[in-house]
């Protein structure tokens, strides 16, 4: 009986958060170990479906870098990174789109549908949902920068009770272009702003943003972020994630979260508990 009462108490503890976020849009950037590990992928699907069932409107934006790199290697196509971003040649662009829109996107959609959801996979090319230009053609090739997002494409899907799963491939305004490869973190940020989301959550392979002593920072504001960057406490791969968070909250998103996707049910722990498990970034 005591165990049953604990279950009931856990449900009651989540009630204020369910009431708070019901009807609101939350964008989740899915990547890292959670995207590769079968058990974590299963837990992620359960989290998203549960959020949807209690009235939250989840939108998933995913990456797929390791699988892209692996297939390029298998096909003996050279891959290069400049300042942490992939140089996407025209030849590589075909592989990028194949992996993101074809393989990874449909894996996520299938996992969600297996749990009774109505998930649907799209890329930025569908309905010209995301339009972009070349970041610097001579430097990054077909790696792009988002210029415009037509949010109504995703809004219409959510209004029909679908869970949108978005591959970060953008359409070009120039006829004949193969489209652009978009950094998934920045795509998630831009999508969150366009959808007027209450939150954007980034799943990573770290506990969150760490201080100089390696301890988790629970909450960060913009001024503190600038200080930690100057001190190079925030550095390397964490910089683009923090920048994506800043872009989201500066664009009107309520909060941005960087959490550890290696922890099972990390999304539920962050959204439905007062303590959370990662770093929340606020104004």
């Amino acid at each position: 009986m005591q165990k049953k009462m604990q279950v009931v108490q856990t449900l009651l503890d989540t009630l204020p958060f369910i009431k708070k976020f019901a009807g609101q849009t939350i964008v989740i950037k899915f990547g890292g170990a959670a995207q590769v590990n079968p058990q974590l992928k299963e837990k992620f699907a359960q989290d998203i479906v549960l959020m949807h069932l209690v009235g939250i409107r989840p939108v998933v934006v995913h990456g797929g870098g390791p699988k892209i790199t692996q297939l390029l290697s298998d096909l003996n196509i050279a891959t290069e990174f400049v300042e942490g971003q992939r140089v996407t040649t025209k030849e590589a662009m075909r592989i990028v789109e194949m992996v993101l829109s074809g393989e990874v996107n449909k894996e996520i959609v299938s996992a969600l549908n297996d749990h009774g959801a109505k998930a649907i996979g799209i890329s930025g090319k569908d309905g010209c949902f995301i339009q972009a230009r070349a970041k610097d053609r001579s430097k990054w090739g077909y790696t792009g920068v988002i210029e415009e997002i037509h949010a109504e494409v995703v809004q219409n899907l959510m209004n029909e009770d679908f869970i949108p799963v978005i591959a970060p491939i953008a359409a070009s305004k120039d006829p004949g272009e193969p489209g652009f490869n978009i950094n998934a973190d920045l795509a998630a940020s831009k999508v969150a702003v366009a959808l007027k989301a209450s939150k954007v959550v980034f799943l990573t392979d770290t506990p969150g943003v760490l201080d100089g002593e390696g301890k988790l920072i629970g909450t960060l504001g913009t001024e503190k972020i600038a200080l930690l960057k100057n001190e190079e406490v925030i550095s390397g791969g964490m910089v683009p994630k923090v920048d994506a968070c800043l872009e989201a909250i500066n664009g009107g998103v309520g909060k941005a979260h960087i959490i550890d996707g290696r922890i099972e049910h990390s999304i539920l722990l962050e959204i439905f508990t007062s303590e959370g498990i990662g770093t929340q970034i606020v104004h």
Side-chain angles (χ1 to χ4, degrees):
M1 181 61 72
Q2 185 177 1
K3 192 171 183 180
K4 291 179 180 178
M5 289 304 297
Q6 287 176 343
V7 172
V8 171
Q9 187 58 51
T10 300
L11 291 171
L12 290 173
D13 288 344
T14 64
L15 187 57
F17 300 99
I18 292 173
K19 290 167 67 177
K20 181 178 180 180
F21 297 120
Q24 296 189 23
T25 299
I26 295 180
V27 175
I28 302 99
K29 189 271 176 168
F30 184 43
Q35 193 176 314
V36 178
N37 183 298
Q39 186 173 348
L40 291 174
K41 195 185 300 182
E42 178 75 5
K43 303 300 183 187
F44 169 82
Q46 291 174 353
D47 289 2
I48 299 299
V49 172
L50 178 58
M51 289 168 63
H52 184 252
L53 288 173
V54 299
I56 296 171
R57 292 155 64 98
V59 175
V60 178
V61 179
H62 65 83
K67 287 194 173 184
I68 293 168
T69 301
Q70 182 61 55
L71 186 53
L72 288 171
S73 175
D74 292 344
L75 296 172
N76 293 317
I77 299 173
T79 187
E80 181 187 357
F81 289 84
V82 174
E83 297 174 14
Q85 290 199 49
R86 187 186 303 275
V87 176
T88 312
T89 63
K90 195 165 187 177
E91 187 179 23
M93 185 64 207
R94 296 174 59 200
I95 306 304
V96 168
E97 186 164 11
M98 185 190 307
V99 172
L100 291 177
S101 296
E103 182 181 0
V104 177
N105 188 276
K106 301 315 170 193
E107 281 181 359
I108 299 168
V109 168
S110 295
L112 294 171
N113 288 342
D114 286 345
H115 287 283
K118 286 201 317 180
I120 189 164
I122 63 172
S123 80
K125 283 186 171 182
D126 294 301
C128 290
F129 161 51
I130 301 173
Q131 292 186 304
R133 60 173 172 80
K135 182 179 176 72
D136 181 337
R137 184 62 57 85
S138 63
K139 193 172 183 180
W140 281 286
Y142 287 88
T143 296
V145 175
I146 294 173
E147 283 194 318
E148 196 171 354
I149 292 183
H150 297 282
E152 67 275 8
V153 174
V154 173
Q155 293 284 12
N156 290 339
L157 291 174
M158 290 192 290
N159 291 341
E160 294 295 327
D161 208 32
F162 286 103
I163 299 175
V165 180
I166 301 169
I169 300 293
S172 171
K173 291 183 177 180
D174 298 323
E177 288 277 22
F180 293 102
N181 178 23
I182 306 294
N183 176 278
D185 290 332
L186 296 176
S189 171
K190 291 280 192 182
V191 168
V193 171
L195 294 175
K196 297 180 173 58
S198 63
K199 289 179 181 288
V200 58
V201 181
F202 296 86
L203 269 66
T204 67
D205 289 342
T206 64
V209 181
L210 307 179
D211 65 16
E213 297 178 353
K215 296 178 181 177
L216 178 67
I217 303 172
T219 302
L220 271 177
T222 52
E223 291 183 4
K224 183 66 173 177
I225 287 171
L227 179 64
L228 293 177
K229 278 185 174 181
N230 288 335
E231 294 175 350
E232 296 187 350
V233 173
I234 295 176
S235 61
M238 186 56 70
V239 172
K241 294 198 185 306
V242 170
D243 286 347
C245 289
L246 288 173
E247 184 168 359
I249 62 171
N250 288 333
V253 176
K255 287 183 181 179
H257 303 255
I258 297 175
I259 67 173
D260 195 339
R262 300 169 299 180
I263 298 174
E264 292 185 358
H265 301 299
S266 56
I267 300 173
L268 299 185
L269 289 168
E270 181 67 14
I271 294 174
F272 292 143
T273 65
S274 54
E275 297 86 4
I277 62 166
T279 300
Q280 64 174 357
I281 294 175
V282 298
H283 277 290

